[in-house]
Amino acid sequence: MSIYKKAAEMVKHSGRITAFTGAGISVESGIPPFRGDDGLWSKYDPALLDINYFRAYPEKSWPVIKEIFYDFFGKAKPNAAHRALAVLEKNGMVQTVITQNIDNLHQEAGSKEVYEFHGNSQYLICDSCAGRYHVSEVNLDEMPPYCRQCGGLLKPDFVFFGEAIPQGVYARSVREAQLSDLFILIGTTGEVVPASMIPPLAKSRGASIIEINIDPSNYTERISDLFIQAKATEGMIGLMDALGIPLPPE
Ligand code: APR
């Protein structure tokens, strides 16, 4: 039986399925991963995304944040892997997407139940009064951007190193790990805690694990029951074919 047929059987025999995604699912949308040969952390210093550094040197941190997450990410579109997860949700075969990504591509692909473990880059929040702005409302040519209400520093509404995970998202993700029969891991190293603790928790509670990645990850030997070594789009298209579910064109 092909690996895709095996994956399809696992999906068909699961009552509650969660997809757990990382930067790898967005690489074919043109967004580089953080780690790996041409990863963002090989070009930029992750310290720029440390919350204390950002607050101390916003004039240094913000221009790089703008370059990476707004000038570059801003034009990315969902790819077939994002769309496949949205179709599976519509078919009642995936209940939740837990993503570490901040690129909003799951929502743009049509997924509704999306838990953003590291927040979302579409909104900026005032570090003083918590005023919230959609990025389109803010002139990012003025660096760093400040709050129109109180003059406080605006910060992207995603989780910086040294910041806590949004409490509601964390709790709901743990709950899905406790209740799901199957986790589909797509494009993640499994290196960043506490996000990386969610799949092992699911495994410990009896979930089966399908992993789609171009390379083995921290999960592959430890918890993955089925490892599909493929790009995210190839893996998800193969799964949809094996399930006999057509994937609508872009
Ligand atoms: N298809 C599938 N997987 C891919 C592809 C692809 N086309 N390209 C790369 N990958 C895999 C890599 O093999 C790697 O396992 O995606 C993963 C990317 O790893 P990271 O860049 O570390 O991404 P992620 O695991 O999501 O990082 C977690 O780290 O810096 C923080 O907050 C950031 O959310 C991020 C977190």
Side-chain angles (χ1 to χ4, degrees):
M1 186 187 285
S2 86
I3 197 161
Y4 289 113
K5 270 287 173 216
K6 280 184 196 152
E9 287 306 304
M10 289 167 77
V11 167
K12 282 187 227 168
H13 290 95
S14 298
R16 190 178 181 121
I17 301 177
T18 295
F20 182 85
T21 68
I25 197 172
S26 297
V27 166
E28 292 158 270
S29 294
I31 295 179
F34 291 97
R35 293 168 189 82
D37 298 344
D38 55 356
L40 289 166
W41 297 150
S42 64
K43 298 187 182 77
Y44 299 98
D45 181 355
L48 287 162
L49 287 190
D50 174 276
I51 189 62
N52 297 315
Y53 181 90
F54 172 79
R55 286 178 172 142
Y57 308 105
E59 73 289 347
K60 288 187 187 157
S61 186
W62 245 114
V64 179
I65 289 171
K66 175 177 180 291
E67 183 185 329
I68 302 174
F69 298 107
Y70 296 99
D71 296 346
F72 191 52
F73 275 27
K75 305 170 185 65
K77 292 281 169 270
N79 62 50
H82 297 105
R83 293 202 315 278
L85 288 177
V87 169
L88 287 176
E89 182 186 52
K90 282 192 189 78
N91 284 267
M93 301 175 98
V94 162
Q95 279 67 46
T96 305
V97 173
I98 300 172
T99 188
Q100 301 167 85
N101 302 338
I102 58 174
D103 55 33
N104 206 55
L105 293 182
H106 284 297
Q107 294 92 323
E108 288 178 31
S111 288
K112 300 281 182 275
E113 197 68 12
V114 180
Y115 298 169
E116 295 179 300
F117 214 82
H118 293 149
N120 187 309
S121 58
Q122 299 289 297
Y123 288 86
L124 308 186
I125 197 155
C126 176
D127 214 26
S128 303
C129 73
R132 199 160 184 264
Y133 301 80
H134 188 272
V135 66
S136 59
E137 299 173 77
V138 178
N139 176 8
L140 288 183
D141 291 330
E142 288 167 20
M143 281 279 119
Y146 290 100
C147 176
R148 286 194 286 272
Q149 311 299 328
C150 76
L153 176 64
L154 292 185
K155 170 189 167 299
D157 195 17
F158 55 70
V159 177
F160 280 49
F161 291 115
E163 279 196 297
I165 301 302
Q167 189 46 38
V169 166
Y170 190 98
R172 289 199 300 274
S173 298
V174 166
R175 180 171 159 72
E176 286 313 316
Q178 291 167 336
L179 297 177
S180 293
D181 309 303
L182 175 65
F183 258 51
I184 305 175
L185 314 183
I186 308 173
T188 180
T189 44
E191 283 191 21
V192 175
V193 291
S196 58
M197 295 156 57
I198 298 296
L201 174 61
K203 179 76 174 186
S204 72
R205 301 297 290 259
S208 299
I209 308 286
I210 294 173
E211 180 179 15
I212 300 173
N213 198 316
I214 54 170
D215 290 323
S217 71
N218 284 351
Y219 298 122
T220 310
E221 292 305 315
R222 282 172 49 215
I223 63 170
S224 298
D225 298 299
L226 195 66
F227 177 52
I228 299 174
Q229 186 151 13
K231 290 182 176 179
T233 54
E234 291 161 13
M236 287 308 296
I237 289 168
L239 176 58
M240 299 298 273
D241 284 348
L243 287 167
I245 300 176
L247 187 58
E250 278 184 68

